[in-house]
Amino acid sequence: MESVLEVKDVWKSYGDLEVLKGISFDISETEVKVVFGASGSGKSTLLRCINMLDPPDKGEIILKGQSLMDSDVDLNLMRRHIGMVFQHFNLFAHLKALDNISIGPHRVLGLPADEARERAARALEQVKLEDWADHYPAQLSGGQKQRVGIARALAMEPDLILFDEPTSALDPELIGEVLQVMLDIAKAGTTMVVVTHEMGFARAVASEMIFMDEGVVLEKGTPNHFFTSPKSERVKRFLHRLDVLYGGQEGAE
């Protein structure tokens, strides 16, 4: 499989606070990497470094063989290849669901308006919201808004989609519908880096899980490794707390 993303020895500080301390991993086509760990461990900052919203202080982000740290790289062009699904949806309140999705392909990719709308309609079908195309965000549930956010990323046809705790702002009964969509697109071959504590999702589709703690990668492995024989006592304590918090329930089957 072709490499999509290489994160090499990435460091990031805000003032005197070191948030990332030498993070490295890579992801190939169709893989799903799940990043998890306690709040403040640097997970969201890592995603912001990958899409260069917050460029790293040191290290390299390489997308499809092109270093995003090169001085002559066109970041706006390269960002077209990275989709982002945010924790709090970030939809345009004045646009209907279909228009929230089609605006990117039309204005950023330069597709004709009718072609952009056709692509948006296909993306809505992928997230099972085709009947909600003409609804405004205020008319949608939190789960539906997040599915529109996923469709918006899909419509850009990126090489990679980043998910920043996509279910953490949702009511518990709405989490399942979003996770099911994420499961579906993962199994369809979408390359994904997902920051989440939904261990059922991780168990179902993760190619690799990455546990971060205080700005470093403390442990990597398959879901089977983490759920049967994690090495670090820190990881064991964290997974035990998740198990107690969620009662051993899986986030997605």
Side-chain angles (χ1 to χ4, degrees):
M1 290 184 290
E2 183 180 356
S3 174
V4 174
L5 176 74
E6 297 172 72
V7 176
K8 293 187 173 183
D9 194 27
V10 164
W11 294 72
K12 182 67 181 179
S13 297
Y14 297 100
D16 294 331
L17 178 63
E18 280 191 330
V19 181
L20 301 178
K21 308 170 188 175
I23 302 294
S24 297
F25 72 94
D26 57 68
I27 183 168
S28 298
E29 287 182 345
T30 75
E31 286 189 324
V32 177
K33 298 290 175 91
V34 168
V35 182
F36 70 115
S39 296
S41 58
K43 307 180 301 294
S44 294
T45 299
L46 173 62
L47 295 190
R48 292 179 65 83
C49 285
I50 290 172
N51 64 16
M52 299 297 283
L53 290 174
D54 279 335
D57 299 325
K58 294 187 292 184
E60 276 198 290
I61 305 292
I62 300 172
L63 181 69
K64 300 296 285 278
Q66 170 68 60
S67 174
L68 302 187
M69 306 294 286
D70 287 350
S71 58
D72 59 346
V73 72
D74 185 340
L75 283 180
N76 288 328
L77 181 62
M78 295 303 293
R79 283 197 189 102
R80 298 179 187 182
H81 300 278
I82 304 176
M84 184 79 180
V85 177
F86 297 91
Q87 185 175 353
H88 294 290
F89 323 134
N90 288 8
L91 301 181
F92 294 110
H94 66 290
L95 295 180
K96 296 177 181 179
L98 186 74
D99 298 322
N100 259 286
I101 299 164
S102 65
I103 190 171
H106 179 47
R107 294 193 178 179
V108 178
L109 301 183
L111 296 183
D114 57 347
E115 187 175 338
R117 289 175 68 83
E118 288 174 6
R119 187 183 284 198
R122 291 195 300 271
L124 277 173
E125 288 181 13
Q126 283 183 269
V127 301
K128 301 179 174 62
L129 280 178
E130 57 267 35
D131 293 336
W132 296 82
D134 292 327
H135 288 68
Y136 290 96
Q139 299 171 304
L140 303 176
S141 70
Q144 290 170 328
K145 291 176 187 176
Q146 192 58 288
R147 285 152 65 192
V148 172
I150 295 171
R152 180 176 55 187
L154 289 170
M156 295 294 287
E157 297 185 357
D159 295 310
L160 170 71
I161 300 181
L162 310 176
F163 293 79
D164 189 7
E165 300 197 44
T167 61
S168 64
L170 300 178
D171 293 332
E173 65 268 22
L174 301 177
I175 290 173
E177 67 185 64
V178 173
L179 289 177
Q180 187 59 57
V181 165
M182 293 171 63
L183 282 165
D184 291 344
I185 66 172
K187 291 177 178 178
T190 305
T191 309
M192 301 158 60
V193 177
V194 185
V195 171
T196 186
H197 292 151
E198 296 292 342
M199 294 295 101
F201 171 83
R203 188 193 296 269
V205 300
S207 310
E208 182 179 56
M209 296 175 64
I210 299 169
F211 182 83
M212 289 182 61
D213 187 51
E214 297 184 353
V216 302
V217 173
L218 193 61
E219 194 165 338
K220 296 181 184 179
T222 63
N224 185 62
H225 162 79
F226 277 104
F227 295 126
T228 61
S229 55
K231 295 178 182 177
S232 165
E233 288 300 322
R234 177 73 182 90
V235 175
K236 291 176 184 177
R237 289 198 307 272
F238 184 82
L239 289 173
H240 176 70
R241 281 207 302 270
L242 284 185
D243 191 53
V244 170
L245 180 63
Y246 296 110
Q249 294 180 358
E250 299 300 330
E253 296 292 344

